Amino acid sequence: MSSSRAESQHSHFGRRRSNTAQSVLRSLPPPAPNPLKVGDSRTFNLWVHESKDAPGVLFNYASWPGVVEGDLLRVNKLGAENPDESFLFFVPKEDQCPRPQLQISVPKPISDAFSLRNNGEVSVTKVDREVCSASYVEFVFQDQYLGRNDMWRLEEQLVGQCVHTNQEVAFVGAIVAKIQNIYIKGRKVPSAIVTPSTRPIFRSLSAKVTIFIQVCRELWEFAGDGERYNEKIVHSFLPALFAKWREATTNHTVTIVLISRVFYEECEMRGPVRDGARSDERGNWYKDFYKVITDHEVLREWKATLVSLKDSFWDFQREILLTHHYRAAQDVKADVRPRLVGRLSYAHDGPILEAINLGLNPTETHYIDRSLSVTGATTLLISPGTGYFRVNKKLLRLTTARMLDQGSVLDLILLTKPPLHQSPIFSFQGTEPETRFEIESKSADPLASDPLWGGDDGNHPNREDLKNFWWEPFWISTSFWDKQMDLPFRHDRFIARAKMHEIQMLGLLEADVLSSIEVPYLPDKPPAAATRNMDTEDQFSLNKSEADKFDMDIFSLRTNYIVPPSNKPTSNPSSRLADKRSRALTTSSKITTIEESPRRIIKELPDEVSTGNLVTPVTAAGLSSSPSQASIHSVRSTLSKLSNVSATNQSMKPSLAAKLTPSWLFNPFRSGPSEPQTTQVFASGSPSTTPIVTAPTATRVSIPPKPAPAIIPETSVQPVAIKASTAKTVLSRTFEEETVIPHRGSLRRSPMNTPPRDDTVINKRRSAASTLAQSYTSSPRSWSNPLQPEISVSYGQESLARRWEHLLPETTHKHDIKWKALVTPSCLPLTMEYLPSNAELESCYDNYYYDFVVDPKEMRSFLVKPPQVKGTPEEVRRAWALVVMRGMAAVRIAQGFQFISRPSTWRSSQKAQVKANEEKMGLRKSKFLANDDAIPRATGPADVLQSPLDPVYLSMMNEIHKISYTGDSIQVRRYVRRLLPIRVVEYECFIWPKLGGGYTSHETSFSSYGLENYGWNRLDMLVAGYERNFNESLRYWRTRFIVVPTKDPPMMNTGPGGERLNDEEIRILGIEKLAEQFTKLRWQPADERINYPAPPVRFLPTTLDPAASVLDEALMGQLDQIHEQGPLKKKIKSEKEISDMPLTTIVKAMREEDGVSIKHHQWHRSQYPNSFTGSDFVSWLVKEFNDVSSRAQAVEWGVKLMEQGLFEHCRGLHGFLDGHYYYRFKGEYSVPMTPKGGWFRRYTSEETTPKASGNLSRHRSISNRKPQRKRLILSQTMVIEIDPNKKSDQAEAVVLHHDIIHNPATVFHFELQWIAMTARCIEDQLKGWNRTIERYGLKLIEAYVTQISDISSRNAFQSCFPIRLAAPPPEVPNLEARVPEYTQTSKYFEYALLRKFDFIVDVEAAELYPEQVEVVYSYRRLPYKYSQFVHRSGAAFVQVIGGSDGFLFLTNRLMGRLSPKIKNKKEPKPLDVAGDIRDQLNCFCSDVEALNAFYEEQLALLTVVPEDPPPLSI
């Protein structure tokens, strides 16, 4: 050892090595630092850098040993440990060359968002990922169309990233949204991690908002603060709403409509009053009136609108009760003196559902004329009523189905104080649902026994069999706007809510009239299937003394409310109070409002930012002693405190409060959530129902709470006692739901001294089948008493309402205004958690399935991106299956389907607790897929289809799809619920358009466009690539665009080679540039692109209008060539070379049958015989000669040949150009050709079928027999890619339909059609095309797909403005002979007048085309009835009616989305331009002298036709 050590002291270089410990240890590597633990913290100096330098956080590993890549760290300002001021980040990959001084550096956007300054000190802490995983992320976006497929992919893109509030989110290369809020288990946080389970909420700042204002008798009544309800709208609510919009910088497109119903007595039903009148279910005659105040307007200043609205309120009754019928009588020339006819309805009889359906009609076809700058649609209804409405059952069923189909929610704004009954509530008449579905069948459909979906559809002939039912809509979100400055809302203040307007106006309240108000006994509840266990029935026997004792305890003056724990008889004072109450409440009341109390109630859906009042049953004794505190927080917030009490008290005997607490008592004061995104009600199941889906933070409950019935407003009570006690008993949701009464089918809960129930009914034992039925819903027989609704609610309704369950990240309260939903409407969520059990799917649904083989070699789809995968055939097949399944899911999500997901982890634990409670109480087990094999594996939208082996479930209302991969094929299973068909509802009303002069009749129909008969198989074949074309049965997005020649001249005047061109030639050049863009973007499968390349897109210029162009024989010949031509490629065995060919041989080759098309051409009024176009010659050179390989090379040869004297330009103005320029042979090469009979040859009188006509009308009039029609296809279809730079992660392709024939003086049309493509890519492409053609004097404008005269059939509140001619056009004899050839003469003066105002032809009427041809445009579904013109600015359209009827004018509200943002604020807006055009045109057409002068001017321009000489006499 010593020798070796001595040797080690000497190095090979003679240097002695140190043997000190320091030297030896220095050479050893330092020990690795221990990894950081959760909670470790350190202080750092923070730098700020620009985002362009580094998009993320920079971190120096050396500054904190132990840090590793991927650690999650939280950054706080030093000294500010508030978690709301911190953000999260993942430690990035270590930088090999960091700046030693740098410790941590953040991008400037983060420093601005969290107020971090450069060189400041921050505290950095390691945190746990699970704790920081976001449950919800809320996005806001503006001025764009964000499709549901885009939302899915956007959320997927963020998975695994740390996000923070106010962070801008980029998608497909552009900023598309901003993160507004982040929630973790119901708690709002500033920063979190996006996980696959995170659920996104998307809110739009640019939506279509329709505001309905109900005009009824209550609108002119006084509120409690002395202000009329109509003044509350104009002075209070709408200004507050508009101020919120302005603060949020929204850009909503707003429509405001006044809605009203007028009833008529039978004696008034004569004359014009009867026209358009309808009869309701009670035999009353009525008419519905709608007045449009604003029509699709985007306004920044609303003062003028509020003034107009106020004026309309003042004039409204006069207009519909007096003026409307007087004008109608004058129209029929009846001798009627002005008189008031009819009376306004009350709020509960208003046309609420009818107005909603009129608003749903345009949104149902939102994919037609798809705006690329608007996302979402919402409806607001402002009513002075209490939220109770009498409706028609059939219309309510249809409305519910349509709201579910579209995922829409109604925001109901009530101007009153919250009533003493559940609100909103609908009442309808119908027959009792069949009980045999419940009792006899164990596989009953849950909806079969529901009063809305079961029974008949409301058209029952025998009215005696009809009963009143009460139904609470789950698609309505209610806000009570009762802003009172002198009495603001306070939790400890009671405000009276019983309104007796007539008595108040008579001044009778000072007198003792209350004692004479009588309320009848409640009717006994009819026998119903018992819903309790037999061993607990004796606990629910009640007596009068107990009831009175309970009343005293509730209504006596005390500070805190504590439920009395004993069942002792009441004291004498209590009995005296009860006797006094009994004397007041006798049985002879005539108060009609008893009819308006809820009978059938559906549970409240959680609020937009809350989940709702889903309460675990607890005994009354377990409640907090501070009811006012319970009013501030939702019941859900106290569940965690009461969970142990709840479990303990399940076996306890119910207290007196448990027996007596009625739902009417505390319900009005509850502050629980009230909105399903927007909605207030949540349909729920029976006592043993599926655990109710609540907002992420809500606790699952076993007994769904039930809305309370109405309390009669005129009830005589002790005012002082009410005010003192109820102010302290403000409980969220009804107190009844918090008591231990698992089944109360026979429990009497009347507060009105109802006689004791006959207990014999209670003792009847249920059968097993009855138990099964009860598991779905309460007994149908329980709906006969409107004040005794059952605790259980339809399980089927619950399943429908869960469509909005993932919109509610936090809790709101009943008294809150739902500003978030009113300012930024939310989109339908991507996920839901409801899926029926296998047994229910088998028994209640029709099962359809189909599959198709996954064959990568045969799949040529433009809707999916081919996977870039190499491996075994099975691996390739799986990769293809995954992309196709994702494409199939994308098109379904775009149609309104939702992914069915597994509940998230923290909600699953809540469900497990609820399930345990249910089992203890003997309730029905959860219906959420009892079979674990069938449970969806995805926990959020980003977790869907990560593997082809995981099936995906999608749901939409009554249809469920399961897409799965079976190994070699993709299988689709469709489950469609068996329901009664929803009938079409015919409707007639009277509408006053924005620019109208009075009410006009409007007839329409309401129907549910369900997807049960949708062509899913064909759509899936399209996604897989086995088909290429959209079918009309499919819902595909479409929008039409027109290229309009601008009024200003083009920016350029030279063409290729410096040739000087006129404006018309420049515009033709611009259209050819657009054709080049189409050609460049044309999509073809890879093998077809190589072997069969498509020919370039080619347009055929003409100077004729569309109807006249089909008579041009030369043009039609070119059209046939375009349809017949294959790819532009060399002839087979083509070995010719033009360099070796003399000119004479070239001329001979050109004249051959397959040579250049040499024929007679016409341009305007000039004839060019024996000519050919430059573009035809270039195409022939490329195809014919081996040494000409491109069009550019062919142009060079054309220039050489022209210089050699082979041909010349027909007008001698241009050299050789590749385009629509006419050339003819020159000199010795010019050999006249024998003209063939063509379209331009004048026909003789002996010819029965003319070949050509100088005028279209002359052509039709001379034709004596109907010739065989020739089919002319005037458009072309192709698929183009809209993402040439490959920014998107999916295939981006659309179907393009474009015109082939183009007149540079009119417009050029094309239409885009797509499904589940990224709208941002489409918009970017359109803007690029617009920039390309702008310099050529052309403008790209979005236009309506259909003719403007049909606009009101889709949107009743939007209509054309009629412009009548004060002087009809003159009739000119022999006009056809006095106008140029091919000039339209049927409406000659109307055409000329529109051209005077810079209108040009858009589409001509179908009747103007020759009878012998059938014209087909692939993008036109229906022929145009009238010719349609568009203004050169693109701001307006006009259709020509003709004669004195003149024109129909419509503002183009689709315009302005493709142009760059207006930099000059003085530049007029498109709507203002359209208004000026309309006023000028209307003023001119109303001026008789100006019209006659115009007619004389046009007549002077006509040529004089010489008279025919007399016949020759021999």
Side-chain angles (χ1 to χ4, degrees), residues 237-250:
F237 174 71
L238 286 182
L241 177 64
F242 297 153
K244 292 279 186 180
W245 284 357
R246 192 180 305 110
E247 180 183 347
T249 65
T250 63

Side-chain angles (χ1 to χ4, degrees), residues 1199-1460:
V1199 173
K1200 292 180 182 178
L1201 295 174
M1202 188 172 181
E1203 291 174 352
Q1204 295 175 16
L1206 180 63
F1207 51 79
E1208 63 181 353
H1209 185 256
C1210 289
R1211 299 172 60 193
L1213 299 177
H1214 302 301
F1216 183 78
L1217 297 172
D1218 180 8
H1220 199 77
Y1221 305 93
Y1222 296 120
Y1223 298 93
R1224 61 191 175 196
F1225 291 113
K1226 185 179 179 183
E1228 59 179 299
Y1229 309 108
S1230 176
V1231 179
M1233 298 180 62
T1234 303
K1236 302 176 182 178
W1239 298 100
F1240 297 99
R1241 184 168 57 88
R1242 292 283 181 176
Y1243 60 88
T1244 61
S1245 59
E1246 288 83 3
E1247 293 177 324
T1248 56
T1249 306
K1251 295 290 193 309
S1253 160
N1255 186 274
L1256 300 184
S1257 57
R1258 185 193 321 161
H1259 173 75
R1260 283 191 298 274
S1261 63
I1262 297 180
S1263 180
N1264 297 324
R1265 61 185 178 85
K1266 188 175 181 180
Q1268 184 177 2
R1269 302 185 72 188
K1270 180 180 179 180
R1271 182 181 175 90
L1272 297 177
I1273 302 176
L1274 300 183
S1275 64
Q1276 245 182 345
T1277 304
M1278 69 181 70
V1279 177
I1280 62 171
E1281 295 185 79
I1282 54 172
D1283 183 30
N1285 298 324
K1286 306 301 179 186
K1287 296 179 181 179
S1288 176
D1289 60 344
Q1290 71 168 15
E1292 302 288 356
V1294 300
V1295 177
L1296 168 70
H1297 301 262
H1298 65 82
D1299 286 349
I1300 300 176
I1301 298 175
H1302 169 57
N1303 183 346
T1306 61
V1307 301
F1308 173 82
H1309 312 84
F1310 67 89
E1311 181 174 302
L1312 300 181
Q1313 301 173 355
W1314 73 92
I1315 293 182
M1317 295 295 111
T1318 305
R1320 168 72 64 174
C1321 295
I1322 299 175
E1323 186 175 15
D1324 290 346
Q1325 200 61 59
L1326 290 169
K1327 289 180 178 179
W1329 292 343
N1330 194 37
R1331 288 191 298 268
T1332 300
I1333 63 177
E1334 269 183 336
R1335 53 200 301 262
Y1336 297 96
L1338 300 171
K1339 187 177 184 180
L1340 186 59
I1341 295 169
E1342 186 173 353
Y1344 296 101
V1345 169
T1346 58
Q1347 58 182 343
I1348 62 171
S1349 58
D1350 294 339
I1351 195 75
S1352 60
S1353 63
R1354 285 180 50 202
N1355 187 349
F1357 305 125
Q1358 190 174 7
S1359 62
C1360 298
F1361 179 69
I1363 299 179
R1364 298 182 177 274
L1365 293 176
E1371 294 184 4
V1372 180
N1374 202 18
L1375 179 60
E1376 296 87 349
R1378 302 178 60 183
V1379 296
E1381 195 174 18
Y1382 298 106
T1383 301
Q1384 186 55 248
T1385 58
S1386 61
K1387 294 179 177 61
Y1388 177 81
F1389 292 97
E1390 290 90 335
Y1391 276 42
L1393 193 153
L1394 290 177
R1395 291 192 177 100
K1396 173 183 173 67
F1397 283 89
D1398 288 325
F1399 283 89
I1400 56 178
V1401 174
D1402 177 21
V1403 179
E1404 286 199 300
E1407 64 178 11
L1408 300 181
Y1409 286 88
E1411 295 179 357
Q1412 70 268 25
V1413 296
E1414 178 188 358
V1415 174
V1416 177
Y1417 287 91
S1418 57
Y1419 56 86
R1420 290 186 196 166
R1421 285 94 195 153
L1422 297 173
Y1424 279 53
K1425 186 176 181 180
Y1426 308 111
S1427 294
Q1428 183 167 299
F1429 284 67
V1430 63
H1431 195 264
R1432 284 182 180 270
S1433 66
F1437 290 95
V1438 166
Q1439 273 195 297
V1440 182
I1441 307 299
S1444 299
D1445 292 334
F1447 313 103
L1448 293 177
F1449 183 97
L1450 182 67
T1451 300
N1452 182 14
R1453 301 189 181 277
L1454 305 177
M1455 185 195 170
R1457 297 164 180 160
L1458 303 177
S1459 303

Side-chain angles (χ1 to χ4, degrees), residues 276 358 986-991 1000-1005 1352-1353 1356:
L358 285 175
E986 301 295 335
Y987 182 59
E988 182 179 2
C989 59
F990 293 86
I991 298 179
T1000 57
S1001 177
H1002 177 80
E1003 295 183 9
T1004 185
S1005 61
S1352 60
S1353 63

Side-chain angles (χ1 to χ4, degrees), residues 523-528 745 757 761 781-785:
D524 281 351
K525 191 172 179 181
R757 174 178 305 282
V761 178
R781 304 302 177 190
S782 64
W783 302 315
S784 56
N785 191 341

